[in-house]
């Protein structure tokens, strides 16, 4: 009998981006740009289209990356097989087989379905986590071989599961997952909660295996409630494969409960968060991750009352508003974290908006630990044992008074010393000494048909592919030089205006706050536009906001570039943009984003140079700075 021929190993465009370590738009750019260091190297052609999704031969892609040197993954040839799951396979089946392979160490490709069931009987005789599924499942015939390759190319069992849970099969099952940065942040916050709870604290797992896999190794045991059914069996399966100790009941030890409410509607998320608060016992701590729209942003009506009723007894120790893009299923939405204890009459909460912050997770964990710790009483008044780097204390009654729970830009208060000339010059010098990143200016001739269709902004607004929002008149008397809420204007007139986040929330409660990717523009005296990549800012009238829908034919940087090239005196509705394909729009916007970043870097260096020169003059005049003599400079240069 002839041996069965394995199906060809295929990759989709998202697989190729993951393999190369680049964004999806970069791969689209490679397809259109065939010139590589003076040679023409065409991107491989798709070998199959399944459900309107192009699939490419793995060997062709590996050869292309090797020939062009493109991408950021020097191990692409080894990693490729881990991404080439059979097209029609299911994530649940792959996870089951991977668990079986890790638990037994067997090569699965050589075993028949009956032999695989026998293997499952050996490792799960009491049918607690795997045997039932092995008997009921039917899987793609090439899937056992893929699992063998996944195990062989991974750095241990944890890495193999992480690759599976972030790959195409997981995406196909609707598991979009979270960015690694979010997993690391939740792990750091949970570690601070574990240390506060004390020795022996156990983890009440979230049920989201991406988080549980990062958290469980740092706890002596994981609570798994078998009444949870299928999800409990899946968690037990992962626990068995990764050798986590499991407890059905916590006994008398404290519990750290972790819950993910991502993807829930606002009312459901608030109800689940309230259930977590009710479940907390003395010494327990909870970390709740959910949508910022429910946990930290402004609410109205019954939702606002429900959130206030949950938090009024004082369980909230910390609330963090996180940047957008960390939850892949809704990359335009921000997430948020609550740290909760049993309601103990706490009258203050510690808050922070971490969007746009240069984050040190160790310092964040220290802040959370301080927020959970009791106040010290060594002086006449209770005080904090340390100052916060990120968190800002706020009276609970003011937090629950309505509006945003965590106003945009909420950060720790910074105290400045009387003479900062030396630090200012050093900071500016560091900015000037950083190497300037290169700008990719390469282009190639394209023989495709030219774009002949242009759409006006008026058409796009009417079709709801663009949304227009008005700016607000901002009173400069409320400016705070240490404020963290930026006020934007397209012409830069308010570039230095900052507001305190709580003042901004109260004073401009009904204003539109920007989201990352918004285009801020002005019509007169000449068209000007900027892209707000940070979000969480206010816009000063007469500047206005254009917010792009997913169906917009261009990205924000292309839109801003077209506005900046519009004729002075023309009406904004007449300005136009090209109707590009999704791939071309993504690739062009990615390139213009690089141009904007390069331009911003040049402007930062110009400002740093001005700051350095100004601080130098002021410092020398004040006697706090001294310049080396010419002889010292010459000797230093010779020594170098």
């Amino acid at each position: 009998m002839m041996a069965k021929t394995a199906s060809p190993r295929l990759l989709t465009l998202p697989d190729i981006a993951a393999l190369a370590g680049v964004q999806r738009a970069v791969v689209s750019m490679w397809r259109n740009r065939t010139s590589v260091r003076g040679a023409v190297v065409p991107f491989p052609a798709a070998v199959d289209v399944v459900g309107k999704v192009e699939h490419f031969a793995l060997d062709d892609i590996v050869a292309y990356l090797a020939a062009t040197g493109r991408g950021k993954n020097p191990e692409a040839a080894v990693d490729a097989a881990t991404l080439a799951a059979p097209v029609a396979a299911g994530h649940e089946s792959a996870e089951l087989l991977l668990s079986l392979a890790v638990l037994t160490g067997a090569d699965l490709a050589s075993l028949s379905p009956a032999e695989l069931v026998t293997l499952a009987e050996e490792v799960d005789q009491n049918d607690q986590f795997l045997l039932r599924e092995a008997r009921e499942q039917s899987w793609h015939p090439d899937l056992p071989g893929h699992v063998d390759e996944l195990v062989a190319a991974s750095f241990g069992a944890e890495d193999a599961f992480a690759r599976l849970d972030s790959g195409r099969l997981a995406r196909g099952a609707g598991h979009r997952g979270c960015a690694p940065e979010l997993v690391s942040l939740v792990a750091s916050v949970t570690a601070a909660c574990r240390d506060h709870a004390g020795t022996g604290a156990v983890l009440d797992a979230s049920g989201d295996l991406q988080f549980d896999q990062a958290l469980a190794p740092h706890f002596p045991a994981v609570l798994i409630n078998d009444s949870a059914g299928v999800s409990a069996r899946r968690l037990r399966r992962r626990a068995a494969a990764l050798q986590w100790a499991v407890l059905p009941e916590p006994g008398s030890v404290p519990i750290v409960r972790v819950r993910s409410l991502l993807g829930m509607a606002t009312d459901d998320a608030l109800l689940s968060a309230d259930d977590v608060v009710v479940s907390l016992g003395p010494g327990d701590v909870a970390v709740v991750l959910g949508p910022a729209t429910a946990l930290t942003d402004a609410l109205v009506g019954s939702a606002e009352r429900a959130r206030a009723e949950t938090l009024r007894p004082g369980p909230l120790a910390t609330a963090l508003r996180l940047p957008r893009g960390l939850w892949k299923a809704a990359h335009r939405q921000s997430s948020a974290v609550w740290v909760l204890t049993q309601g103990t009459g706490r009258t203050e909460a510690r808050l922070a908006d971490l969007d746009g912050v240069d984050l040190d997770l160790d310092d964040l964990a220290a802040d959370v630990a301080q927020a959970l710790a009791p106040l010290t009483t060594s002086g006449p008044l209770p005080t904090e044992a340390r100052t916060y780097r990120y968190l800002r204390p706020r009276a609970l009654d003011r937090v629950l008074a309505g509006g945003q729970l965590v106003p945009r830009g909420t950060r720790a208060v910074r105290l400045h010393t009387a003479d900062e000339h030396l630090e200012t010059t050093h900071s500016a010098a560091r900015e000037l000494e950083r190497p300037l990143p290169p700008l990719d200016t390469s282009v190639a001739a394209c023989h495709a048909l030219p774009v002949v269709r242009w759409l006006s902004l008026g058409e796009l607004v009417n079709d709801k592919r663009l949304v227009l929002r008005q700016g607000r008149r901002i009173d400069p008397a409320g400016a705070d030089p240490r404020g963290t809420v930026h006020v934007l204007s397209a012409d830069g007139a308010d570039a230095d205006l900052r507001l305190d986040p709580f003042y901004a929330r109260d004073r401009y409660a009904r204003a539109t706050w920007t989201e990352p990717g918004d285009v801020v523009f002005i019509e007169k005296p000449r068209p000007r536009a900027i892209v707000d990549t940070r979000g969480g800012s206010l816009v000063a009238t007469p500047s206005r906001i254009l917010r792009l829908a997913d169906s917009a034919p261009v990205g924000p940087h292309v839109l801003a570039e077209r506005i900046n090239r519009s004729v002075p005196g023309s009406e904004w509705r007449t300005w136009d943009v090209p109707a590009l394909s999704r791939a071309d729009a993504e690739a062009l916007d990615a390139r213009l984003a690089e141009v904007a970043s390069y331009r911003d870097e040049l402007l930062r260096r110009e400002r740093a140079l001005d700051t350095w020169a100004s601080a130098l003059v002021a410092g020398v005049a004040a006697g706090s700075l001294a310049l080396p003599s010419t002889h010292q400079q010459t000797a230093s240069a010779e020594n170098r």
Side-chain angles (χ1 to χ4, degrees):
M1 185 176 69
M2 295 183 61
K4 177 182 177 295
T5 302
S7 303
R9 296 182 297 177
L10 304 177
L11 299 173
T12 63
L13 289 175
D15 294 335
I16 297 169
L19 176 63
V22 299
Q23 297 295 318
R24 167 70 173 77
V26 175
V27 179
S28 297
M29 192 184 305
W30 291 347
R31 300 185 73 181
N32 296 324
R33 200 176 73 207
T34 59
S35 177
V36 183
R37 295 188 295 276
V40 176
V41 186
F43 193 86
V47 297
D48 198 1
V49 178
V50 181
K52 299 183 180 180
V53 177
E54 293 179 303
H55 289 71
F56 302 80
L58 178 148
D59 292 338
D60 292 348
I61 295 301
V62 170
Y64 172 82
L65 294 176
T68 61
R70 285 175 167 170
K72 302 176 182 178
N73 180 13
E75 301 293 326
V78 178
D79 291 335
T82 69
L83 294 164
V87 174
H91 178 260
E92 184 178 352
S93 298
E95 192 264 344
L96 175 69
L97 289 175
L98 179 56
S99 300
L100 195 58
V102 170
L103 286 165
T104 63
D107 289 335
L108 306 185
S110 60
L111 301 178
S112 68
E115 289 172 324
L116 290 173
V117 172
T118 300
L119 208 59
E121 291 172 345
E122 295 175 2
V123 298
D124 187 23
Q125 296 178 4
N126 296 324
D127 191 18
Q128 291 184 309
F129 56 86
L130 184 144
L131 179 57
R132 183 186 314 165
E133 290 81 358
R135 287 170 173 166
E136 296 174 353
Q137 284 274 355
S138 61
W139 42 74
H140 191 285
D142 293 330
L143 188 56
H146 170 67
V147 169
D148 288 343
E149 290 185 323
L150 176 60
V151 172
S154 298
F155 297 103
E158 289 189 1
D159 183 47
F161 279 109
R163 290 172 185 263
L164 176 64
D165 291 340
S166 62
R168 183 187 345 126
L169 298 185
R171 295 194 301 270
H175 307 313
R176 306 299 294 180
C178 298
E181 295 85 352
L182 179 56
V183 177
S184 297
L185 185 148
V186 171
S188 295
V189 171
T190 304
C193 296
R194 176 204 61 207
D195 294 343
H196 173 78
T199 304
V202 297
L203 174 68
D204 183 6
S206 69
D208 185 318
L209 290 177
Q210 189 178 13
F211 289 107
D212 295 339
Q213 186 164 314
L215 302 176
H218 304 288
F219 285 83
V222 177
L223 285 178
I224 299 181
N225 184 354
D226 290 328
S227 65
V230 173
S231 61
R233 289 180 64 85
R234 186 170 180 234
L235 188 56
R236 276 189 174 274
R237 190 156 58 242
R238 189 65 59 94
L242 299 182
Q243 299 181 337
W244 305 338
V246 173
L247 289 177
E249 296 291 340
S252 59
V253 298
I255 304 170
V256 177
R257 302 189 188 276
V258 179
R259 293 291 181 269
S260 175
L261 314 182
L262 294 174
M264 290 187 179
T266 296
D267 290 344
D268 294 336
L270 292 174
L271 181 60
S272 296
D274 188 68
D275 289 341
V276 172
V277 172
V278 172
S279 72
L280 294 174
D284 294 347
V285 189
V287 178
V288 175
L289 171 68
T293 50
L295 300 187
T296 60
D297 293 353
L299 296 173
V300 295
S302 60
E304 181 184 13
R305 291 191 295 273
R307 185 169 70 184
E309 288 172 4
T310 296
L311 300 182
R312 189 166 287 114
L316 182 66
T318 299
L320 306 173
R321 193 183 194 279
L322 309 181
R324 293 200 313 175
L326 297 180
W327 183 41
K328 296 178 182 178
H331 66 278
R332 290 180 177 270
Q333 295 181 12
S334 291
S335 48
V337 170
W338 282 358
V339 176
L340 303 160
T341 60
Q342 189 181 50
T344 55
R346 187 181 283 110
T347 58
E348 283 190 333
R350 274 64 181 168
L351 316 174
D353 176 13
L354 300 181
D355 195 5
V357 171
D358 184 12
L359 195 59
D360 183 303
L361 292 180
D362 290 337
D363 284 348
L364 178 63
D367 274 11
V368 172
Q370 177 61 43
L372 289 166
L375 299 178
T376 62
T377 56
S378 56
L381 295 174
T383 59
E384 306 269 16
R386 63 182 290 276
T387 57
Y388 290 105
R389 178 171 179 181
Y390 302 109
L391 302 183
R392 179 170 174 176
R394 188 69 168 171
L396 189 61
D397 57 350
R398 297 193 64 183
V399 169
L400 301 179
Q404 298 167 314
L405 181 67
V406 180
R408 300 301 304 274
T410 300
R411 312 275 162 73
V413 175
R414 292 280 180 262
L415 299 178
H416 296 274
T417 59
D419 189 350
E420 296 180 334
H421 297 133
L422 183 61
E423 175 57 31
T424 300
T425 56
H426 283 174
S427 178
R430 286 193 295 269
E431 185 75 25
L432 293 168
E433 291 168 357
R434 285 192 302 108
L436 187 65
L439 176 65
D440 185 0
T441 58
S442 60
V443 294
C446 179
H447 303 291
L449 292 175
V451 174
V452 295
R453 186 173 177 228
W454 293 76
L455 299 172
S456 71
L457 301 195
E459 290 179 86
L460 295 175
V461 169
N462 290 340
D463 293 341
K464 302 188 185 307
R465 301 168 78 181
L466 276 181
V467 177
L468 178 70
R469 292 284 185 265
Q470 299 295 327
R472 289 293 296 270
R473 186 171 183 178
I474 306 297
D475 184 0
D480 183 345
R482 294 180 295 180
T484 52
V485 174
H486 295 252
V487 177
L488 302 180
S489 54
D491 57 2
D494 300 289
D496 297 325
L497 188 58
R498 303 283 189 274
L499 303 176
D500 176 85
F502 292 101
Y503 167 83
R505 183 194 70 172
D506 296 340
R507 181 69 183 272
Y508 304 105
R510 298 187 179 277
T512 297
W513 295 65
T514 61
E515 297 180 358
D518 281 354
V519 175
V520 178
F521 79 99
I522 193 169
E523 194 173 14
K524 297 176 181 178
R526 55 170 297 187
R528 296 294 300 165
I530 60 172
V531 179
D532 181 14
T533 59
R534 178 180 52 241
S537 300
L538 291 171
V539 173
T541 189
S543 292
R544 288 177 281 182
I545 302 168
L546 286 172
R547 184 164 295 163
L548 289 80
D550 290 336
S551 59
V554 295
H557 293 280
V558 177
L559 175 57
E561 182 67 20
R562 287 295 301 165
I563 292 175
N564 287 328
R565 299 293 174 262
S566 296
V567 177
S570 57
E571 202 266 329
W572 71 268
R573 290 180 178 274
T574 66
W575 303 338
D576 56 16
V577 295
L580 301 176
S581 68
R582 175 57 64 91
D584 286 342
E586 290 178 350
L588 181 57
D589 207 69
R591 180 63 69 88
L592 288 182
E594 293 176 7
V595 172
S597 178
Y598 191 84
R599 183 184 292 118
D600 290 343
E601 181 64 28
L602 293 177
L603 292 174
R604 272 195 297 272
R605 288 168 185 265
E606 182 180 7
R607 289 194 295 268
L609 189 60
D610 291 341
T611 299
W612 182 85
S614 176
L616 179 64
V617 172
V620 171
S624 59
L625 294 179
L627 293 173
S629 66
T630 303
H631 173 73
Q632 289 173 319
Q633 290 177 331
T634 303
S636 176
E638 290 175 349
N639 290 334
R640 288 199 298 268

